[in-house]
């Protein structure tokens, strides 16, 4: 079990006392766990702290889903402008300066799937390229599988994972599992490039085997902890959900679990 093996911190304690000193601009952050267990919520909580600690950083969420109520709630809380195309419209002199943006292209509902995907991919690719060269940025790629595999942006994202830290341009990537599907695979850079990884409860042994490619950790210990992470029934704005505690892995050589 996870308890006696490594330290455990409550969510607020981790966010307030530890995360501010852990994240450095340009570092990548990965989140891997099955859908609905709270990884996007955690990503925004961590981003809120990182932006307070590093006010020079710009923030951008890439949202490929047609609907996502949680993104709208966090956009309001973090003062993010929701835009449908890239680049953002110019800010008029009397307008406030938003803390960041959510790029949320309109789906072409009546178009063939390939045409809609090409339309979405073009908008996200423009934003990824611009923010990469601009530097001093965080891009939250939510959901990673849709962006990387369904929309074909694996190579664009690999550019961030392999050389973004020097810009500095940090890619934060929530993903549902470390293994792929018949449609394709997310680049393995998604779990060996991040300086910070958060894993949720996952009983699937196929997924656990991929943790050996994280690097710098004992894959058997990681698999054991992930398999036994507590899951809590929590009332959320979207209704009751089973929210997992997280295993935090720092590439600096330490781990802990993080509660709710």
């Amino acid at each position: 079990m996870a308890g006696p093996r490594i330290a455990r911190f409550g969510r607020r304690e981790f966010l307030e006392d530890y995360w501010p000193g852990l994240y450095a601009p340009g570092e990548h952050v990965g989140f891997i766990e099955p859908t609905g267990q709270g990884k996007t919520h955690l990503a925004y909580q961590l981003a809120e702290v990182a932006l307070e600690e590093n006010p020079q950083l710009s923030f951008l969420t890439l949202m490929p889903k047609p609907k996502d109520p949680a993104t709208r709630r966090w956009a309001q809380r973090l003062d993010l402008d929701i835009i449908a195309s890239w680049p953002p419209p110019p800010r008029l002199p009397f307008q406030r300066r938003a803390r960041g943006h959510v790029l949320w292209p309109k789906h072409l509902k009546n178009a063939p799937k390939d045409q809609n995907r090409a339309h979405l991919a073009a908008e996200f690719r423009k934003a990824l390229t611009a923010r990469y060269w601009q530097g001093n940025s965080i891009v939250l790629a939510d959901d990673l599988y849709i962006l990387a595999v369904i929309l074909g942006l694996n190579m664009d994202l690999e550019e961030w994972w392999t050389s973004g830290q020097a810009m500095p341009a940090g890619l934060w990537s929530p993903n549902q599992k470390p293994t792929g599907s018949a449609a394709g695979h997310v680049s393995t850079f998604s779990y060996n490039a991040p300086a910070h990884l958060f894993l949720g409860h996952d009983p699937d042994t196929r997924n656990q085997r991929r943790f050996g490619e994280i690097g710098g950790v004992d894959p058997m210990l990681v698999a054991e902890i992930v398999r036994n992470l507590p899951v809590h029934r929590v009332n959320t704005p979207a209704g009751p959900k089973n929210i997992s505690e997280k295993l935090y892995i720092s590439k600096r050589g330490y781990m802990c679990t993080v509660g709710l």
Side-chain angles (χ1 to χ4, degrees):
M1 299 295 289
R5 304 291 292 273
I6 60 175
R8 179 188 182 277
F9 302 101
R11 180 71 58 91
R12 177 171 292 184
E13 180 183 14
F14 182 81
L15 290 170
E16 293 181 355
D17 298 340
Y18 294 95
W19 184 242
L22 290 171
Y23 185 73
E27 290 181 334
H28 309 309
V29 184
F31 308 83
I32 305 174
E33 63 180 314
T35 187
Q37 291 189 170
K39 57 184 174 296
T40 296
H41 182 74
L42 173 61
Y44 276 110
Q45 287 182 312
L46 296 168
E48 186 172 28
V49 174
L51 294 173
E52 289 174 357
E53 294 292 313
N54 303 277
Q56 79 279 13
L57 294 179
S58 63
F59 183 79
L60 172 66
T61 292
L62 307 181
M63 174 43 64
K65 303 172 187 175
K67 295 181 180 180
D68 192 78
T71 296
R72 291 197 177 276
R73 289 193 296 271
W74 276 104
Q76 183 176 14
R77 173 168 173 167
L78 297 186
D79 191 25
L80 309 176
D81 276 350
I82 297 176
I83 57 176
S85 62
W86 193 266
R91 185 172 61 93
L92 298 175
F94 58 85
Q95 289 180 312
R96 95 217 187 292
R97 185 181 185 87
R99 188 67 188 85
H101 297 86
V102 177
L103 177 56
W104 204 336
K106 301 293 184 183
H107 284 243
L108 308 179
K109 296 180 181 179
N110 298 318
K113 287 184 179 179
D114 288 348
Q115 182 180 343
N116 182 52
R117 290 170 182 170
H119 156 70
L120 298 174
E123 293 295 340
F124 294 131
R125 182 172 286 117
K126 286 188 291 184
L128 283 167
T129 301
R131 281 298 167 89
Y132 173 83
W133 288 108
Q134 170 191 310
N136 284 321
S137 57
I138 293 174
V139 165
L140 175 59
D142 187 19
D143 174 287
L144 181 61
Y145 182 83
I146 298 175
L147 291 161
V149 178
I150 296 178
L151 300 185
L153 296 174
N154 248 327
M155 291 300 292
D156 301 85
L157 297 169
E158 281 194 359
E159 186 173 29
W160 280 69
W161 282 314
T162 56
S163 56
Q165 186 168 356
M167 302 309 285
L171 182 63
W172 294 30
S173 49
N175 191 18
Q176 295 180 16
K177 60 177 185 173
T179 54
S181 71
H185 300 259
V186 173
S187 169
T188 55
F189 283 111
S190 65
Y191 49 93
N192 58 34
H196 311 273
L197 272 170
F198 293 86
L199 309 180
H201 173 77
D202 193 337
D204 192 315
T205 56
R206 294 169 300 176
N207 293 339
Q208 294 167 15
R209 284 195 291 268
R210 298 304 293 269
F211 298 149
E213 299 181 45
I214 291 174
V217 299
D218 177 352
M220 298 297 292
L221 176 60
V222 170
E224 178 188 351
I225 295 171
V226 166
R227 187 166 53 245
N228 292 290
L229 281 171
V231 176
H232 305 272
R233 190 69 170 171
V234 176
N235 289 320
T236 75
K241 288 190 174 184
N242 295 320
I243 304 299
S244 171
E245 298 192 13
K246 317 299 181 192
L247 170 64
Y248 167 65
I249 301 174
S250 167
K251 291 300 182 68
R252 297 182 179 94
Y254 47 86
M255 300 188 295
C256 68
T257 57
V258 181
L260 304 188

